[in-house]
Amino acid sequence: TITVTAADDGTISPVVSAGAASDAAGNTSAASTSVDNSVTLDTVSPSVTIEQNAGQSDPTNALPIVFDIVFDESVTGFDGTDIVFVSGTGITSSLTGTGATYTLTITAADDGTITPSIPAGVASDAVGNANLASTSTDNSVVLDTTPPEVTVNQSGSQSDPTGALPILFDVAFSEPVTGFTAVDVSFVSGTGVVYGVTGSGSAYTI
């Protein structure tokens, strides 16, 4: 019996050279032959990453939200119950895939930042090495399904009544927006009005 007590990870294949031993009559042994003289040593725990899917918008107002999960080798024992959410509430999710590659799909969630993670020890490779905790470059997606609110009020510097032009109104959105221009403004009262809009983000002036 050859007993190997220490080695680097990899394939270990011992052989016995010709002439290593002799029988009672002095005949020396031939070189060894084998049916299987190799054993692969693997002591490294599988690593795993979880990232936004390449096509995933962030922030988004649409479901589903998709994350890609990739182990560096095939694992078993991994399922949807193994995923924890560092942030996010009201989440309903499903997991598909096998081996080393999986897809996490979020089908329902409250507005907010959704951040999934994979703890250490929830899956194992072919020899039983348990996985390390997941790492990520970007494993968060902001879900925002709430329309921005907007108010229009006299500007703080505006006299009322006034005999002077221009007349100023402040427009305040509840969050930064894009696409707001003068054509989006209409008047409940007032005739012969000539106007413009300035500003950006969440603050504008008519």
Side-chain angles (χ1 to χ4, degrees), residues 3-198:
T3 302
V4 179
T5 56
D8 298 328
D9 278 9
T11 301
I12 300 169
S13 303
V15 295
V16 177
S17 303
S22 58
D23 61 17
N27 301 306
T28 57
S29 60
S32 61
T33 60
S34 304
V35 175
D36 186 357
N37 70 323
S38 294
V39 173
T40 299
L41 178 64
D42 176 6
T43 63
V44 177
S45 295
S47 62
V48 56
T49 60
I50 182 166
E51 308 286 358
Q52 291 181 12
N53 180 267
Q56 177 63 54
S57 299
D58 181 23
T60 184
N61 64 354
L63 293 171
I65 294 172
V66 181
F67 294 90
D68 295 329
I69 298 170
V70 180
F71 290 85
D72 66 349
E73 60 181 312
S74 291
V75 297
T76 57
F78 180 59
D79 61 40
T81 63
D82 298 321
I83 297 166
V84 297
F85 289 88
V86 179
S87 63
T89 58
I91 292 170
T92 302
S93 64
S94 62
L95 183 72
T96 58
T98 58
T101 305
Y102 298 82
T103 300
L104 175 65
T105 303
I106 309 296
T107 54
D110 300 329
D111 279 8
T113 301
I114 299 171
T115 309
S117 180
I118 301 166
V122 298
S124 58
D125 64 15
V127 298
N129 296 312
N131 70 283
L132 302 172
S134 60
T135 60
S136 304
T137 301
D138 188 353
N139 65 323
S140 292
V141 173
V142 175
L143 177 65
D144 178 5
T145 62
T146 304
E149 298 176 354
V150 58
T151 59
V152 180
N153 293 303
Q154 290 180 13
S155 176
S157 60
Q158 179 61 54
S159 300
D160 182 21
T162 184
L165 294 173
I167 297 172
L168 302 178
F169 294 89
D170 291 332
V171 178
F173 288 88
S174 59
E175 60 183 311
V177 297
T178 59
F180 176 59
T181 65
V183 298
D184 300 312
V185 179
S186 59
F187 288 85
V188 178
S189 62
T191 58
V193 176
V194 177
Y195 64 96
V197 170
T198 59

